[in-house]
Amino acid sequence: MTTEVRSTQEAIAAGAMALFGEKYGDQVRVVSVPGFSMELCGGTHVSATGDIGFFVVVSEGGVAAGVRRIEALTGAGAVAWAQHQRAALSAILEALHVSEPQAVESVEKLQAEAKRLAREVTQLKTRAAVGGGADGGGPSTDDTMEIAGVRLARRKVSDLDKDALRGLADSLKAKIKSGIVVIASENDGKVQIVVSVTPDLTGRIKAGQIVKEIAPIVGGGGGGRPDFAEAGGKQPEKIDEMLKAAESVVAKLLS
């Protein structure tokens, strides 16, 4: 590699590559690798790659359209990074009680087991909620009442996600055969509401109408189809009030 100071225009005319967007003066340092490349100096150069020492790329990503950025560490910084990575890996292997070649497989097994257990917990909570048991965060107003000849089932549950709530709504509809289901779940300080109406009643009352009436009570809103609607809220302390109000809302809409 050779380095020389030349006129910028002369260097470019000779085929030196300039960095796009870089500003150069009248004189510029030109770095050449004979038979390989010739560039206008855009920053620090070394005489040989051995001068750099230990080198590690730590990230790569896009910073603009068609522009990628590589970030790396060299020398003592690279050594410190490698030591930290090795220490982290050793701690993981010790926690897993496996050797390095088995680490990935062990983590994958743990993740699969965690997902399986999460599904089982959700299923158990749903079964308990269908039965109105305390383990499922049973209903605060434990009733299935009849309003103008229409059955209304209400449930208050806890820690059930959207899929579980939909499954619970389907189970309760199957249980009452014909009617309206209103479910409220508290999770992490937020409220999730599901309203479901059996197909035979959607001509008289719609799930979306019910949700729009009751969701504001818990500081939320939502909507949906005539047979199914969802909403969210941010005042879980008013769930009991909302479920109680569902009675009068349904009566009003049916009339």
Side-chain angles (χ1 to χ4, degrees):
M1 184 177 71
T2 61
T3 302
E4 60 180 334
V5 177
R6 301 176 63 178
S7 160
T8 302
Q9 291 185 346
E10 178 187 334
I12 293 176
M17 185 177 73
L19 295 177
F20 178 75
E22 190 73 26
K23 293 182 179 179
Y24 300 98
D26 294 335
Q27 297 289 311
V28 66
R29 188 163 65 129
V30 181
V31 180
S32 303
V33 177
F36 183 74
S37 71
M38 180 168 62
E39 302 178 16
L40 302 187
C41 179
T44 303
H45 284 79
V46 295
S47 299
T49 55
D51 293 342
I52 297 172
F54 187 25
F55 177 90
V56 58
V57 175
V58 295
S59 69
E60 186 275 336
V63 294
V67 179
R68 309 292 293 181
R69 172 183 290 162
I70 295 175
E71 294 184 357
L73 296 171
T74 63
V79 171
W81 179 89
Q83 290 173 334
H84 175 76
Q85 293 292 103
R86 184 68 230 182
L89 176 59
S90 296
I92 292 171
L93 296 177
E94 184 176 350
L96 293 174
H97 301 294
V98 296
S99 63
E100 190 170 331
Q102 299 169 315
V104 173
E105 182 182 356
S106 180
V107 171
E108 289 174 343
K109 286 182 179 179
L110 287 173
Q111 290 176 326
E113 181 67 3
K115 289 180 181 179
R116 184 187 68 79
L117 291 173
R119 286 195 299 268
E120 287 187 4
V121 169
T122 297
Q123 290 169 358
L124 289 171
K125 286 182 178 180
T126 303
R127 290 171 189 167
V130 170
D135 289 342
S140 54
T141 49
D142 187 5
D143 63 340
T144 298
M145 62 176 59
E146 191 168 304
I147 304 171
V150 175
R151 301 185 77 185
L152 169 64
R154 297 174 291 181
R155 285 289 187 273
K156 177 183 177 181
V157 297
S158 60
D159 299 324
L160 292 185
D161 60 22
K162 286 186 178 182
D163 290 338
L165 287 175
R166 290 171 181 170
L168 175 56
D170 289 341
S171 297
L172 289 175
K173 280 198 303 183
K175 192 174 182 180
I176 64 175
K177 294 183 172 55
S178 175
I180 301 163
V181 171
V182 179
I183 305 171
S185 174
E186 178 182 353
N187 197 338
D188 292 330
K190 296 182 179 180
V191 183
Q192 183 66 32
I193 307 164
V194 164
V195 176
S196 191
V197 177
T198 54
D200 60 306
L201 295 173
T202 54
R204 295 180 60 190
I205 188 169
K206 294 175 173 49
Q209 293 175 322
I210 300 173
V211 154
K212 288 179 181 178
E213 293 277 350
I214 64 175
I217 298 174
V218 291
R225 306 186 308 269
D227 62 327
F228 185 85
E230 294 177 298
K234 52 188 177 183
Q235 296 176 283
E237 68 276 7
K238 293 187 176 181
I239 286 179
D240 290 350
E241 179 184 340
M242 183 198 71
L243 290 175
K244 179 64 178 174
E247 180 181 348
S248 58
V249 168
V250 169
K252 181 183 73 172
L253 292 174
L254 285 173
S255 64

